[in-house]
Amino acid sequence: MPVEIQLKAYADAVNARLDALLPPSDRMPAELHQAMRYSCLAPGKRIRPALCMACAEACGASGQAVIDAACAIEIVHAFSLIHDDLPAIDDDALRRGQPSNHVRFGESIAILAGDALFSLAFETLSRSPHEPELVVKAMQILTKAAGSDGLVGGEVVDVQSEGEPVDPERLHYIHSRKTGALMAAACETGATLAGATDASKHKRYGELLGLAFQIADDILNETADPRKLGKAVGSDKARRKATYTALYGLDQARLKASETAHEAEELAGSPFLKELAQFTIERLH
């Protein structure tokens, strides 16, 4: 099955479950719940939950068996995008082809919607229908990936590095955490809940895929059509952010993305995961 069709199948299942997990838009406080649904259900590829489900399948389980864990990961991702777009951080007005959450609902509701989504993610994961010790392990994986040693830590160093000279080690630190950590967690969680005795190969695949994905994002921020990308282009250069294109140039960034995706392919546990590595760097948005 072509990777795009398989991704859509995962996305359709995830979207349906997210719709059920998110509070109804008319439940008080309605504006908060509307803001949560606005960002979490916005159009997207759902790559992170797809990784969770695909890695579970690669370990002999069904993707549907880990769908709540997959949704929890996507909810954390949605939280991170809301906060990332805020004026105090990246100040982006467009996300996934629509106004950013703070543009649509105001900064205070956007911040609180992100907070509420973060809480909902772990409530959802805690209720996963798996053995308690596996659920605890999954929660440990996701909390570490989302915290100061993962996504949030990478974002902090990203913000602090704006306009500053950046060496390759610092750049790798930023990208491997702000993007790679959550993708690695998705893979490791899927394998763990499927009963894998050793999920390290799946985790490493996710780390490499996340790095390749972020390098591709750096390239797209300079070269893409904003109508297809669904968000502003040229913003990284304008803010003098630490990116692979800024440090290495477009040609070398493309080479590094290709090399990283190839490393991920060698660890892929299924044909879909192998094809996804190439899709990650060939996508247009």
Side-chain angles (χ1 to χ4, degrees):
M1 186 182 295
V3 66
E4 294 93 338
I5 295 176
Q6 185 62 57
L7 268 177
K8 185 178 184 306
Y10 286 130
D12 287 347
V14 167
N15 288 339
R17 185 59 179 149
L18 285 172
D19 184 52
L21 289 168
L22 288 159
S25 59
D26 58 353
R27 180 190 295 172
M28 187 175 180
E31 191 172 11
L32 173 66
H33 295 149
Q34 289 162 16
M36 292 167 68
R37 297 179 69 87
Y38 177 83
S39 288
C40 206
L41 295 175
K45 294 177 285 296
R46 309 294 187 238
I47 284 179
R48 291 155 189 83
L51 285 171
C52 182
M53 297 170 76
C55 284
E57 291 168 350
C59 294
S62 72
Q64 193 66 31
V66 300
I67 194 163
D68 278 9
C71 286
I73 291 163
E74 182 63 18
I75 293 168
V76 169
H77 180 53
F79 136 78
S80 74
L81 296 182
I82 292 174
H83 283 192
D84 197 36
D85 288 339
L86 289 167
I89 302 181
D90 280 353
D91 195 17
D92 282 327
L94 191 67
R95 172 68 67 178
R96 291 177 166 174
Q98 61 187 29
S100 298
N101 198 291
H102 70 273
V103 174
R104 171 67 177 78
F105 293 95
E107 284 186 55
S108 59
I109 294 296
I111 291 169
L112 294 168
D115 294 344
L117 284 171
F118 195 73
S119 176
L120 177 62
F122 290 98
E123 178 186 351
T124 299
L125 184 54
S126 73
R127 293 179 176 176
S128 294
H130 302 278
E131 293 296 322
E133 61 269 22
L134 293 181
V135 174
V136 170
K137 177 62 175 175
M139 293 187 72
Q140 290 171 336
I141 291 167
L142 186 53
T143 50
K144 183 173 182 181
S148 62
D149 286 331
L151 188 158
V152 173
E155 289 287 0
V156 167
V157 179
D158 186 29
V159 170
Q160 292 175 335
S161 298
E162 287 184 13
E164 300 293 329
V166 177
D167 56 53
E169 291 75 20
R170 190 176 182 87
L171 180 59
H172 182 271
Y173 179 98
I174 293 168
H175 281 24
S176 65
R177 284 161 177 78
K178 78 172 189 177
T179 303
L182 198 56
M183 288 194 176
C187 295
E188 187 180 6
T189 297
T192 297
L193 292 178
T197 55
D198 182 4
S200 59
K201 186 177 82 167
H202 300 280
K203 178 182 180 182
R204 181 58 180 157
Y205 168 85
E207 289 171 346
L208 290 165
L209 189 81
L211 181 58
F213 188 96
Q214 186 57 52
I215 297 172
D217 259 12
D218 290 351
I219 295 166
L220 288 169
N221 193 271
E222 289 201 18
T223 64
D225 180 339
R227 292 169 298 180
K228 292 181 178 179
L229 191 61
K231 57 184 178 180
V233 298
S235 56
D236 288 348
K237 183 177 286 187
R239 295 177 67 91
R240 297 174 62 200
K241 291 180 72 70
T243 65
Y244 271 75
T245 51
L247 187 61
Y248 296 106
L250 276 172
D251 289 343
Q252 282 300 308
R254 289 190 177 103
L255 178 61
K256 286 183 178 295
S258 180
E259 291 173 345
T260 306
H262 180 67
E263 283 188 68
E265 283 182 51
E266 294 180 339
L267 294 173
S270 70
F272 168 75
L273 292 169
K274 185 173 184 178
E275 291 178 27
L276 184 61
Q278 274 303 307
F279 173 80
T280 293
I281 61 170
E282 293 172 356
R283 62 197 166 90
L284 298 177
H285 54 83

